[in-house]
Amino acid sequence: MPLRRSIALFKSSGGPISLAYKQRVESGRINLDQNQLSLSAALDSLYSNLSSPDSDRFLIPDGQLQYAARYYGGSWVLSMNNFADIAWAKVHSFIYTPPKGVYIYGSVGVGKSMLMDLFYETCKSGFASNTAQYYPIKRKCLRCHFHEFMLDVHQRIHEYKKVHPRADPIPPVAAALAKEARVLCFDEMQVTDIADAMIVKRLITLLLDLGVTIVTTSNRPPSGLYEGGINRSVFLPFIDTIKERMEVFEMGGDHDYRRDSFESNTDLSTYISPSHDPSTQTILDQWFSRGSGETRSETVLVAMGRSIHVEKANDSCGWFTFNELCNKPLGAADYIAIANRFSIIIVEKVPQLGGNTYNEARRFVVLIDALYEAKTKLIITSDVSREDLFVGFDASVATNDGDEEIAIDDSNIQRESVVVGEGGSSSSMSTTMIRTANNGAMEWSATGRIGVSLAQLSSVKEVSFSFMRAQSRLSEMAASHWGRER
């Protein structure tokens, strides 16, 4: 369709998300993109469904959620005390079909998160233009990065298991989440860890059963989630659930709009290369001084009672070496805590990252995601340019049945490996332990073959996408306007 005609159609129609998008286009903040326009229309339709007068008629009341969760989760026990509640949940499963959420996938920087955020803001606060008024929906809404969501889920499971060590934690956790928000918006959904895979499969399905509407972005299509993961066949029914119960929207195009908006700082560089340049220390000292306050070491509290030591910090800036952050068993919880504590982060001596530094690279990508979500200023020193920081790599995945499961050569590991204790790539633990055939336990990333870890094999394609996302975000984070108030 010619651009002039598409603009004319755009101006003549659309719901609140399309109108909010139109305002950004007309103000010059963004350029008109046909794929973004199509997604705006899809999100308009979902907003319309959620805001219709009858949309909340059959919502499960907050007081019934725990019973419905037990029923849908398969962990209910019928008794005289809960007969009416269980019967109500069963009837409800036949009479109510909640609005379908939207699963948005596509390349990095194409506008997925921007439009999901417009949808979230409209649902929560409404939208007004010169010609129309759209009100907030009645349902409670929550928006978060998927890392943060899974961290919160692991925390809830941990707390529940302390009190009920033998009980199934997923139904009560799902009920609590549904009570807090009936519309969930996730940014960057990804599943690369067996512990997270098993939790996500049950929890998201149960949330959908409870009538929660989910909108999520991802770099992967549903069929690519947990690709190459151990015991993936157990996860496959969840992919079918996404396809059946959510609208799957592919954001076409591969133009990275984040790079268009890049403008370097006029006063101080945020990416300093080479790191051994005589001026590097001076620039870092200037950035550190912007944090104000006395130089000191401190301890930052992390979820589940953990903490991380910061050797050099002041009121608003934390100064680290790459090895301190990424060559240690740290995970998303640690990086989120650091990002929330400091408005400026300095990371020195970042090496070129690729297959030979897989675990360190994976942690660095998670760090960038955490800093990006918190709008924390990131200062990097490296001996390679920003464009050469990440080097793509690949690994092979063996299969016996066409299901792309990992073929594990170590004979000590049973075929159906299971998670021991708590953990997962999104939890405060950095690795997952699996039980071996002789009842021992070993670290997931230590179960590889031919010198390549199972973690590499199960998530290599995801990490490839993550590298592109990290490059894109580094460009945006280098802009002079990037950051939050100290």
Side-chain angles (χ1 to χ4, degrees):
M1 177 183 294
L3 180 60
R4 184 175 299 173
R5 184 183 172 196
S6 65
I7 293 176
L9 289 174
F10 181 48
K11 287 186 174 182
S12 64
S13 62
I17 291 80
S18 293
L19 290 173
Y21 177 73
K22 168 187 172 181
Q23 282 190 351
R24 295 193 176 193
V25 172
E26 292 182 338
S27 68
R29 294 172 62 187
I30 58 176
N31 295 320
L32 178 62
D33 181 285
Q34 279 299 124
N35 294 298
Q36 294 175 2
L37 191 58
S38 297
L39 177 56
S40 297
L43 294 174
D44 281 337
S45 177
L46 177 56
Y47 169 85
S48 177
N49 289 334
L50 291 170
S51 59
S52 67
D54 295 331
S55 67
D56 296 334
R57 181 186 299 178
F58 296 112
L59 270 183
I60 302 174
D62 286 351
Q64 300 284 342
L65 282 169
Q66 58 177 323
Y67 303 110
R70 290 175 189 169
Y71 169 75
Y72 285 115
S75 61
W76 58 277
V77 177
L78 188 63
S79 69
M80 291 300 295
N81 293 331
N82 67 6
F83 176 81
D85 296 308
I86 295 301
W88 182 91
K90 188 172 182 65
V91 171
H92 178 270
S93 67
F94 289 107
I95 64 175
Y96 180 60
T97 302
K100 284 188 174 183
V102 185
Y103 183 103
I104 310 159
Y105 74 96
S107 188
V108 299
V110 296
K112 303 184 300 295
S113 300
M114 174 192 70
L115 287 165
M116 184 188 74
D117 288 344
L118 282 180
F119 169 79
Y120 168 75
E121 291 162 8
T122 302
C123 288
K124 189 173 182 181
S125 304
F127 175 79
S129 69
N130 294 331
T131 58
Q133 173 76 48
Y134 294 90
Y135 296 98
I137 65 172
K138 296 179 181 179
R139 305 184 188 199
K140 290 177 284 189
C141 306
L142 173 69
R143 189 269 188 208
C144 61
H145 192 276
F146 196 68
H147 276 316
E148 291 183 89
F149 173 73
M150 289 305 298
L151 174 61
D152 178 57
V153 167
H154 281 286
Q155 178 74 43
R156 291 171 189 257
I157 291 174
H158 175 74
E159 294 299 325
Y160 185 85
K161 294 294 283 185
K162 286 196 301 186
V163 180
H164 310 282
R166 295 187 178 182
D168 180 4
I170 301 300
V173 168
L177 289 168
K179 187 175 182 179
E180 293 170 14
R182 301 302 179 102
V183 177
L184 289 173
C185 296
F186 300 136
D187 196 24
E188 304 293 352
M189 184 177 186
Q190 55 181 307
V191 183
T192 60
D193 180 281
I194 186 174
D196 286 350
M198 297 304 102
I199 292 172
V200 166
K201 171 195 171 187
R202 291 193 61 212
L203 180 64
I204 300 298
T205 301
L206 193 47
L207 287 171
L208 294 172
D209 288 335
L210 295 176
V212 174
T213 299
I214 295 175
V215 177
T216 185
T217 70
S218 179
N219 289 322
R220 310 295 304 279
S223 60
L225 288 174
Y226 197 46
E227 189 171 25
I230 189 171
N231 291 340
R232 187 173 187 250
S233 59
V234 181
F235 185 79
L236 290 178
F238 175 63
I239 294 175
D240 293 332
T241 297
I242 291 177
K243 294 177 179 179
E244 292 169 3
R245 303 178 66 176
M246 299 179 71
E247 297 290 345
V248 178
F249 189 97
E250 179 181 7
M251 281 284 283
D254 56 6
H255 184 80
D256 186 348
Y257 287 101
R258 291 194 188 106
R259 293 179 182 265
D260 289 352
S261 63
F262 169 71
E263 53 175 300
S264 61
N265 282 277
T266 56
D267 52 353
L268 289 176
S269 298
T270 57
Y271 192 99
I272 308 162
S273 177
S275 59
H276 59 270
D277 189 275
S279 64
T280 296
Q281 190 63 41
T282 300
I283 296 174
L284 293 182
D285 287 340
Q286 288 178 303
W287 273 117
F288 187 70
S289 67
R290 293 190 176 188
S292 69
E294 295 183 358
T295 301
R296 60 187 181 271
S297 63
E298 68 173 82
T299 299
V300 176
L301 298 180
V302 184
M304 298 190 190
R306 299 176 63 249
S307 63
I308 182 170
H309 179 72
V310 184
E311 186 63 34
K312 186 175 182 179
N314 57 27
D315 290 352
S316 302
C317 182
W319 192 325
F320 303 86
T321 66
F322 176 83
N323 284 339
E324 286 175 333
L325 287 178
C326 301
N327 204 20
K328 293 181 179 180
L330 302 182
D334 304 286
Y335 301 137
I336 291 170
I338 290 170
N340 290 333
R341 165 61 186 88
F342 300 107
S343 59
I344 303 173
I345 293 290
I346 296 172
V347 184
E348 284 191 278
K349 302 174 183 177
V350 179
Q352 191 172 52
L353 301 168
N356 60 334
T357 55
Y358 173 81
N359 286 319
E360 294 88 344
R362 179 169 52 87
R363 293 183 186 117
F364 189 62
V365 166
V366 175
L367 171 65
I368 291 174
D369 284 344
L371 299 179
Y372 183 86
E373 282 294 309
K375 294 192 75 69
T376 299
K377 200 78 174 178
L378 173 61
I379 318 302
I380 292 174
T381 72
S382 178
D383 285 333
V384 297
S385 67
R386 182 190 290 110
E387 292 73 22
D388 295 327
L389 185 60
F390 296 99
V391 178
F393 64 95
D394 202 354
S396 61
V397 179
T399 176
N400 292 321
D401 56 7
D403 196 24
E404 292 193 76
E405 292 189 303
I406 302 303
I408 304 171
D409 287 344
D410 194 325
S411 58
N412 289 328
I413 303 175
Q414 63 184 23
R415 177 172 175 79
E416 295 296 326
S417 304
V418 295
V419 177
V420 173
E422 302 168 16
S425 63
S426 299
S427 76
S428 60
M429 300 181 181
S430 60
T431 57
T432 298
M433 305 298 289
I434 63 172
R435 186 180 300 125
T436 60
N438 59 6
N439 246 356
M442 65 192 311
E443 187 178 340
W444 184 26
S445 59
T447 61
R449 57 192 181 91
I450 322 176
V452 181
S453 74
L454 179 59
Q456 283 173 291
L457 289 168
S458 65
S459 62
V460 62
K461 294 181 180 179
E462 186 64 48
V463 170
S464 176
F465 278 110
S466 297
F467 278 10
M468 291 187 288
R469 184 176 73 245
Q471 286 278 25
S472 174
R473 289 185 164 179
L474 283 178
S475 294
E476 185 177 358
M477 293 166 76
S480 57
H481 62 268
W482 178 267
R484 69 176 191 264
E485 293 294 327
R486 292 193 288 273

